[in-house]
Amino acid sequence: MELQAGEGRVIAAAGLGRVLVATAVPVERDAVAKAFGGFSPGSDDESLGATAHGWTDVIAVGVGPALAAASTASALTAAALRGTPYDLVVSAGIGGGFQPEAPVGALVVADEIVAADLGAETPDGFVSVTELGFGTVRHQPPEDLLRRVADAAGARTGAVLTVSTVTGTAARATALRERHPTALAEAMEGFGVAEAAGAHGVPVLEIRAVSNPVGPRDRAAWRIGDALAALTEGFGKLVPVLESWNRHDQ
Ligand SMILES: O=C(O)c1cccc(C(=O)CC[C@H]2O[C@@H](n3cnc4c(=O)[nH]cnc43)[C@H](O)[C@@H]2O)c1
């Protein structure tokens, strides 16, 4: 069914969920929006660059966990104040893939969203803020939904790490994998988006298309165009899953 801008409220009223997709940068936002048939006029929130697709808004929230958290929280609050709250938040974009499990061009759906460098270095190694007694370093997407999304999109599932510094050495890639053996990808926004969603009591997913291997810095190895194409193709396949998702499925 082709939806026009503005129909989101009607659909939400009928019980289907409203979805906020948060990418870091506009080129990722546009790649996701393409899967929904491109932009529709009548954005719900022009100041945040939101683009209405009936039941889904796709916005660029900025690079890094702090800006992503602040922008996502603003969008969630604005929607709630309008009386059209979101039922699901999806952090999406390109990311680094741990080799060989997540090759360039692969799609990864997070079964855990982990803040991998939020903690303290000690003589005995890294200690997370949770181990230090402060807050959480992980968010758990709804199991049933993430499996349905991954199956539909042909994606791998595993932990997606959020880092503030892009990994640039083999030693750091190895250290991350030792601490997080199920990690398939790293990126810079997922945990921030998840913290905002958690503060609003809204479930979260993270979907990453692999643009580069996690490891020694090699700009020539980036395949951003391929990753953006994979993002569009993946979202195209999972639109029906999101369309039928309902917060009562949680
Ligand atoms: O300068 C570098 O070596 C470098 C390598 C990979 C990515 C970057 C970025 O500045 C992109 C940050 C942007 O893209 C996401 N992203 C893509 N690949 C990775 C990665 O390997 N590790 C972390 N983040 C990545 C990220 O979510 C940001 O939105 C620079």
Side-chain angles (χ1 to χ4, degrees):
M1 175 174 54
E2 180 111 356
L3 300 172
Q4 301 302 315
E7 288 183 347
R9 283 175 192 78
V10 177
I11 289 164
L16 293 179
R18 278 175 57 77
V19 180
L20 177 65
V21 182
T23 69
V25 293
V27 71
E28 295 169 319
R29 178 197 62 199
D30 296 352
V32 172
K34 210 167 156 186
F36 292 85
F39 296 130
S40 307
S43 168
D44 275 357
D45 188 343
E46 306 283 353
S47 65
L48 277 169
T51 305
H53 296 277
W55 50 276
T56 300
D57 290 331
V58 190
I59 64 173
V61 294
V63 172
L67 182 54
S71 304
T72 303
S74 295
L76 289 168
T77 301
L81 291 174
R82 282 196 304 269
T84 56
Y86 292 105
D87 302 296
L88 174 69
V89 179
V90 184
S91 171
I94 64 172
F98 286 95
Q99 303 305 308
E101 293 87 351
V104 170
L107 212 58
V108 175
V109 174
D111 61 10
E112 274 190 313
I113 300 169
V114 182
D117 53 13
L118 189 58
E121 270 194 323
T122 78
D124 298 322
F126 179 84
V127 180
S128 74
V129 289
T130 307
E131 293 164 297
L132 291 169
F134 313 114
T136 186
V137 289
R138 63 188 72 237
H139 285 272
Q140 212 77 50
E143 177 76 23
D144 177 50
L145 180 62
L146 82 86
R147 299 281 162 215
R148 278 155 60 189
V149 162
D151 287 350
R156 295 154 171 79
T157 58
V160 176
L161 309 183
T162 302
V163 292
S164 292
T165 303
V166 174
T167 297
T169 64
R172 179 153 171 84
T174 301
L176 284 172
R177 274 307 281 277
E178 278 173 8
R179 283 210 302 273
H180 307 285
T182 65
L184 289 186
E186 72 163 35
M188 302 178 81
E189 295 79 27
F191 186 76
V193 171
E195 286 280 75
H200 280 258
V202 178
V204 66
L205 292 178
E206 182 169 6
I207 301 173
R208 292 284 164 183
V210 176
S211 55
N212 56 279
V214 176
R217 190 170 191 224
D218 177 10
R219 294 196 71 134
W222 295 6
R223 295 289 178 272
I224 291 176
D226 291 351
L228 293 173
L231 203 57
T232 304
E233 192 185 336
F235 264 87
K237 291 178 184 163
L238 64 83
V239 164
V241 178
L242 295 179
E243 217 167 10
S244 69
W245 188 75
N246 174 320
R247 70 179 306 152
H248 304 298
D249 287 348
Q250 294 168 64

